[in-house]
Amino acid sequence: MMRLSLLVFVAFTLLSSSHADAEFNPIRQLGRRSVGSDDYKVNCQSFRVGVEANNLRDWITIPTYCKSYIKTYLQKNQYSLDVEAIAVEAADYAESLQKDIFLKDIWVFDIEETLLSNLGYLASSSVDFGTQQVYATPYYEWLTSNATVVPAILELYNAVVENGFEIVLLSEAPESIGDALVQALQNAGFSGWTKLILKGDADNGKSPEEYKSAKRTELVNLRYRIAGNVGDQWSDLSGENVGIRTFKVPNPVYNRIWD
Ligand SMILES: *[C@@H]1O[C@H](CO)[C@@H](O)[C@H](O)[C@H]1NC(C)=O
Ligand SMILES: [Mg+2]
């Protein structure tokens, strides 16, 4: 009898404490499917950090209430400081890395929002700081006519070249805009890359990660060693043969460019 009442008491205490937790613990209220949906309003800085850390995946647009936060982040210097911090770290690494004796050491750079900036387009009403989806055709039209440089990444690029690495540019842009893209890269101050890999017809239907993994695997099969890999999307830096070190350039606006 004594035992039974103790058991009842313990069970009751457990039940009531877990009930109390549920009232103030948002983790207990899971079941939500989209970031920043009505059932759970993610804090905007937590959203941005979660995106950069690859904790938040498969999101399509930013939470609409985070638009002014993202706008301030991009336009009032914090974005530039974040890019600069990554570029400095990557350049230090490029300088200190012991080259391989047998393999050709290369750096892989993504192009869109890594070497070239489309911030003007992302701020336009078409994208509205990520509250609207980004579509490939207008995105690349803007990129090939109006893109600007990401200054800290140009400095990193030049530092990597000076340290004797070959450069491979790996982009999801279609081969059909190759000439215009080369022109945009040159206008932004980039030169001297070894390879420019763009998406051909044979690559259609692959996810961004599958496409980039396959291209990097081809490079590795050609006895290149990927010393560094720089991109603004996690699909640039995940999958197979990602390289010895990866560097994530911030991008809180879009998670992929849609066909
Ligand atoms: C490039 O910028 C100019 C000046 O802002 C603008 O008139 C033009 O439409 C832009 N190009 C594209 C493809 O949007
Ligand atoms: Mg990119």
Side-chain angles (χ1 to χ4, degrees):
M1 189 59 204
M2 175 75 180
R3 244 190 212 166
L4 184 65
S5 55
L6 188 66
L7 203 69
V8 167
F9 174 75
V10 168
F12 181 76
T13 312
L14 280 174
L15 266 172
S16 55
S17 72
S18 70
H19 176 72
D21 277 353
E23 279 168 6
F24 59 80
N25 185 348
I27 293 169
R28 297 282 169 79
Q29 297 174 9
L30 283 180
R32 71 196 165 83
R33 276 286 159 263
S34 61
V35 173
S37 68
D38 286 343
D39 11 350
Y40 173 67
K41 286 215 176 319
V42 65
N43 169 274
C44 295
Q45 185 163 340
S46 305
F47 170 77
R48 182 176 65 76
V49 171
V51 166
E52 296 309 334
N54 205 19
N55 291 329
L56 301 183
R57 302 183 186 186
D58 302 327
W59 54 282
I60 294 172
T61 52
I62 67 160
T64 48
Y65 59 86
C66 292
K67 186 172 109 173
S68 71
Y69 170 83
I70 297 293
K71 178 176 193 255
T72 302
Y73 171 74
L74 291 172
Q75 296 184 342
K76 301 280 187 231
N77 220 27
Q78 188 60 50
Y79 165 75
S80 302
L81 292 172
D82 287 353
V83 178
E84 191 177 281
I86 290 153
V88 167
E89 175 69 18
D92 280 353
Y93 162 70
E95 204 170 310
S96 64
L97 182 72
Q98 189 85 40
K99 297 256 183 4
D100 194 276
I101 303 169
F102 301 107
L103 305 174
K104 191 131 202 90
D105 277 301
I106 56 169
W107 275 61
V108 174
F109 284 87
D110 169 56
I111 294 178
E112 305 89 328
E113 252 62 58
T114 297
L115 303 186
L116 296 180
S117 171
N118 246 5
L119 276 182
Y121 179 65
L122 303 181
S124 75
S125 59
S126 308
V127 181
D128 209 15
F129 297 102
T131 58
Q132 309 297 318
Q133 257 180 275
V134 176
Y135 290 101
T137 304
Y139 178 91
Y140 284 116
E141 267 170 26
W142 210 95
L143 190 82
T144 48
S145 51
N146 283 333
T148 55
V149 68
V150 181
I153 302 294
L154 176 58
E155 285 186 44
L156 168 64
Y157 180 102
N158 289 335
V160 167
V161 172
E162 277 162 30
N163 279 291
F165 294 95
E166 291 193 19
I167 304 272
V168 173
L169 307 182
L170 175 52
S171 161
E172 278 186 86
E175 279 169 354
S176 57
I177 68 157
D179 290 345
L181 195 58
V182 166
Q183 191 59 57
L185 286 163
Q186 287 169 346
N187 292 347
F190 295 97
S191 61
W193 57 83
T194 300
K195 282 177 192 287
L196 168 61
I197 303 174
L198 301 176
K199 217 167 178 179
D201 290 341
D203 304 310
N204 287 340
K206 286 184 183 147
S207 73
E209 185 179 287
E210 285 168 348
Y211 161 69
K212 292 215 165 180
S213 288
K215 296 298 178 187
R216 286 192 308 265
T217 298
E218 285 174 24
L219 292 169
V220 167
N221 291 341
L222 293 170
R223 300 191 62 72
Y224 286 106
R225 184 176 78 154
I226 301 172
N229 181 8
V230 187
D232 67 291
Q233 298 289 313
W234 273 101
S235 56
D236 300 330
L237 311 174
S238 57
E240 287 152 35
N241 294 304
V242 294
I244 299 172
R245 277 195 70 172
T246 59
F247 296 93
K248 172 72 173 67
V249 178
N251 186 348
V253 177
Y254 65 85
N255 189 37
R256 68 176 291 182
I257 298 166
W258 297 83
D259 292 327

